[in-house]
Amino acid sequence: MIRRPPRSTRKESSAASDVYKRQELNPNIFPMRIALANRYFEEFNYSSALPHFMYVAQNSEDLELKSLALSQIGWMVHDSGDTATSLNYIEEALTISPDSLLAKTYFGIILIQQEETRNEGYEILSLLRTNPILSGDDLEIIEEILSIYEN
């Protein structure tokens, strides 16, 4: 006998499938593509997220979306262990959108983890900590990271 997943799982899978189908029919609706990519990203399904972020980074004229896509690509590359390449993506995101909280946060986190750039990363994250736009969850993550590296 085949067991069905719980209803909520079926509904979520169906919703994800609907978003994917709509995105396939409308590949240049970049916010929808970003939403789908972020869904995969949050599930750590980077192989599914990457093509969507790359598409936006290469094709969108919206600088905020392009910066977001480059930031997410940079973080995925960092997670794969390639710090130098990840910093290239994140620096490009900051070039496009210097005020991007996401790119600044990723940049600070990556720099603070490296002994030779720890002070720079600490300064970036300390400045971000005082930004009133930062969400409570992001502030909590930044404070946790800063507490690890405080002397």
Side-chain angles (χ1 to χ4, degrees):
M1 179 174 167
I2 297 175
R3 299 187 69 177
R4 290 182 168 197
R7 284 188 190 272
S8 62
T9 304
R10 287 198 320 260
K11 191 179 285 184
E12 287 174 21
S13 296
S14 176
S17 177
D18 288 346
V19 170
Y20 185 76
K21 286 176 189 173
R22 284 194 304 261
Q23 176 276 311
E24 278 186 324
L25 295 171
N26 304 288
N28 290 326
I29 299 179
F30 299 113
M32 187 166 43
R33 191 176 273 274
I34 286 287
L36 180 61
N38 276 331
R39 179 177 290 193
Y40 290 134
F41 181 87
E42 290 169 6
E43 295 170 351
F44 299 97
N45 184 351
Y46 293 164
S47 62
S48 293
L50 183 60
H52 298 289
F53 285 130
M54 290 296 286
Y55 188 88
V56 172
Q58 293 169 346
N59 297 294
S60 178
E61 297 295 323
D62 182 320
L63 298 181
E64 296 300 316
L65 290 178
K66 187 178 287 252
S67 176
L68 184 146
L70 289 166
S71 297
Q72 298 293 63
I73 293 166
W75 188 256
M76 290 186 290
V77 171
H78 172 69
D79 265 5
S80 74
D82 187 347
T83 300
T85 303
S86 76
L87 287 172
N88 288 337
Y89 280 107
I90 293 169
E91 287 169 346
E92 181 65 21
L94 285 167
T95 299
I96 291 170
S97 181
D99 295 328
S100 168
L101 291 178
L102 182 65
K104 285 181 182 180
T105 301
Y106 287 165
F107 193 58
I109 291 170
I110 293 170
L111 292 181
I112 203 171
Q113 293 174 350
Q114 312 301 313
E115 192 170 332
E116 60 276 2
T117 57
R118 183 159 296 144
N119 290 337
E120 185 181 356
Y122 191 88
E123 287 176 26
I124 291 168
L125 294 177
S126 293
L127 284 172
L128 284 171
R129 177 171 47 184
T130 64
N131 190 320
I133 298 173
L134 201 64
S135 76
D137 290 341
D138 291 341
L139 177 60
E140 187 176 315
I141 291 167
I142 287 172
E143 287 180 340
E144 183 179 323
I145 291 167
L146 286 171
S147 72
I148 292 168
Y149 292 98
E150 287 177 336
N151 292 334

